[in-house]
Amino acid sequence: MAKKIQRVGILTAGGDSPGLNAAIRGFGKAAIGHYGMELIGFRDGIRGMAENRTIPIDSRFLSGILTVGGTILGTSRDKPHKMNVNGKTVDMTDTILANCEKNKLDCVVFIGGGGTAKNANRLAKAGLNVIHLPKTIDNDIAHTDTSFGFSTALGIATDAIDRLHSTAHSHHRIIVVEIMGHKAGWLALGAGIAGGADIILIPEIAYSIDSIAASIRKRAEAGHSFSVVAIAEGARDTQDTADLEAAEALLSAADSPEAKSAAKMHKQSLELAHRGNAFKLAEELEAATGLESRVTVLGYVQRGGTPNAEDRMLGTLLGGAGADLVAKKKYGITVAAQGQAAVPVPLKDVAGTLKTVPLDHPWITAARHVGTGMGD
Ligand code: F6P
């Protein structure tokens, strides 16, 4: 009997990041060229699965994309079980499964971050064969040392800090630079160390204005009349951190759907209010030190453009390893980067687990060793 040709779907979901196309190509070339599989892409992440918007992928489609930023498949932040359809929230899980069936897919490869891992795991529980490849500039995916996108973003943020140094220095100013990373401080910490920021603030360490102002005054006394403060978008001062922790405790103690929904709304409103923390910090530092302060929000620049060599390599490595797993019919797996290797990790252990910066991490020690203030 002739061997059945495996048919595979692939998609990119969540925020885009450099290296997505390298991973599509890495998986696709191995799947098509090496294993003789058939491959289709879903457009715009999980929304494309629900709407059955597909594109056939052959080796020509994969040519010339290694160096291209963003994702040629498009992306979205949709969730299968809570999708906005004509203004209503609808569970599209069954439709998604039916579309995979219609396309005769043996498996779907989800390229995405923590949210995508959760969604892939939900669909795996509903019966879909899935593989997850970890991408995100936030580097917050559990069990993987690095996710593709992080290295390029780290380079961009470091370059920005370098540039901000010369203008901060010339104007004798404090420049507060807000760096992405969602709830984790990897990007701000890494770029802060590499760019020689004077203060680095991350979500894992609650900061106090007094401590930061004291560090800046000390620098001024030593003749450095400027400071660069790298703040992760999720960093909070001690009061905001306490408020958020209280809101989280309230949410986990909520014992009815009404109480849960009220606690969730309260937590979300706090998170929304904390979004402008970089601006609040700059104002407070100006008042506390008398030094003029400015804010730069790096924003989407951090995840746009050409992936660097490391992210191209990582995407290629993890993509190829993903194809090996599909060939062996091993599903429900995140292909993690551990050391130099691509290591299969159960997706259920990755989904819903955030990798934040441990307080005893060598990067924090390194920052403190060179005299960088961590705001505590
Ligand atoms: O997860 C990647 C990321 O860029 C985070 O650093 C940031 O918090 C978030 O996405 C921004 O999300 P959106 O693209 O939905 O604005």
Side-chain angles (χ1 to χ4, degrees):
M1 203 173 73
K3 197 170 164 258
K4 181 184 171 285
I5 294 174
Q6 283 179 288
R7 269 181 69 78
V8 182
I10 191 165
L11 61 87
T12 52
D16 71 325
S17 83
L20 281 170
N21 291 325
I24 296 170
R25 173 182 175 273
F27 180 86
K29 289 215 169 204
I32 300 167
H34 193 70
Y35 289 113
M37 297 174 193
E38 288 173 356
L39 187 60
I40 63 163
F42 284 106
R43 296 277 193 197
D44 303 331
I46 289 165
R47 179 153 294 266
M49 288 184 98
E51 295 171 356
N52 203 21
R53 285 188 286 116
T54 63
I55 176 164
I57 297 182
D58 59 12
S59 50
R60 249 185 326 163
F61 181 91
L62 299 170
S63 186
I65 64 170
L66 177 63
T67 58
V68 178
T71 160
I72 54 165
L73 290 175
T75 187
S76 71
R77 287 203 184 272
D78 290 292
K79 297 176 182 158
H81 62 303
K82 277 186 192 171
M83 199 172 287
N84 185 316
V85 182
N86 300 326
K88 285 201 186 106
T89 305
V90 183
D91 184 345
M92 296 298 279
T93 306
D94 289 345
T95 310
I96 286 171
L97 295 183
N99 287 340
C100 291
E101 187 95 33
K102 241 183 250 167
N103 288 298
K104 299 188 172 45
L105 298 180
D106 297 297
C107 163
V108 177
V109 177
F110 290 75
I111 312 182
T116 305
K118 277 202 231 172
N119 290 330
N121 195 42
R122 280 184 187 113
L123 291 168
K125 280 190 193 157
L128 190 68
N129 293 327
V130 305
I131 289 284
H132 168 233
L133 304 182
K135 74 84 216 179
T136 168
I137 65 164
D138 303 341
N139 202 30
D140 60 355
I141 303 178
H143 301 290
T144 192
D145 295 348
T146 320
S147 48
F148 44 90
F150 176 65
S151 176
T152 305
L154 184 62
I156 295 168
T158 301
D159 181 55
I161 294 177
D162 289 350
R163 288 168 191 278
L164 292 170
H165 254 115
S166 63
T167 171
H169 173 260
S170 305
H171 283 267
H172 315 286
R173 280 175 175 161
I174 296 170
I175 293 198
V176 176
V177 50
E178 188 195 275
I179 295 173
M180 277 187 169
H182 198 39
K183 292 180 179 166
W186 296 105
L187 197 55
L189 180 58
I193 294 171
D198 306 297
I199 312 282
I200 302 174
L201 306 174
I202 59 176
E204 294 82 352
I205 301 177
Y207 61 81
S208 101
I209 299 294
D210 292 347
S211 158
I212 305 168
S215 305
I216 291 175
R217 271 193 233 104
K218 203 165 145 207
R219 277 178 53 75
E221 278 156 26
H224 308 296
S225 58
F226 72 96
S227 285
V228 174
V229 180
I231 179 171
E233 62 181 346
R236 292 176 170 86
D237 65 19
T238 41
Q239 184 59 54
D240 286 351
T241 303
D243 291 347
L244 193 68
E245 279 169 4
E248 274 160 0
L250 213 65
L251 182 59
S252 44
D255 53 5
S256 69
E258 296 76 33
K260 204 171 168 191
S261 144
K264 212 170 175 178
M265 266 171 62
H266 174 55
K267 185 178 162 232
Q268 279 168 351
S269 71
L270 283 182
E271 284 171 338
L272 206 66
H274 298 166
R275 273 199 192 159
N277 274 355
F279 291 91
K280 189 173 143 219
L281 176 66
E283 269 176 28
E284 288 170 339
L285 288 180
E286 186 163 306
T289 64
L291 288 169
E292 212 176 27
S293 301
R294 293 285 190 273
V295 177
T296 295
V297 178
L298 295 189
Y300 298 97
V301 165
Q302 291 163 102
R303 59 185 213 206
T306 307
N308 70 7
E310 200 175 331
D311 284 332
R312 294 180 202 182
M313 284 177 64
L314 196 56
T316 306
L317 174 83
L318 301 187
D324 291 343
L325 290 165
V326 174
K328 289 184 197 143
K329 301 194 169 77
K330 294 210 165 141
Y331 306 123
I333 286 172
T334 293
V335 189
Q338 294 181 0
Q340 299 289 303
V343 176
V345 174
L347 171 62
K348 64 176 173 39
D349 296 348
V350 172
T353 309
L354 196 68
K355 185 186 76 178
T356 52
V357 183
L359 294 182
D360 60 352
H361 193 275
W363 288 11
I364 294 184
T365 312
R368 293 198 198 274
H369 276 166
V370 293
T372 307
M374 297 297 300
D376 52 351

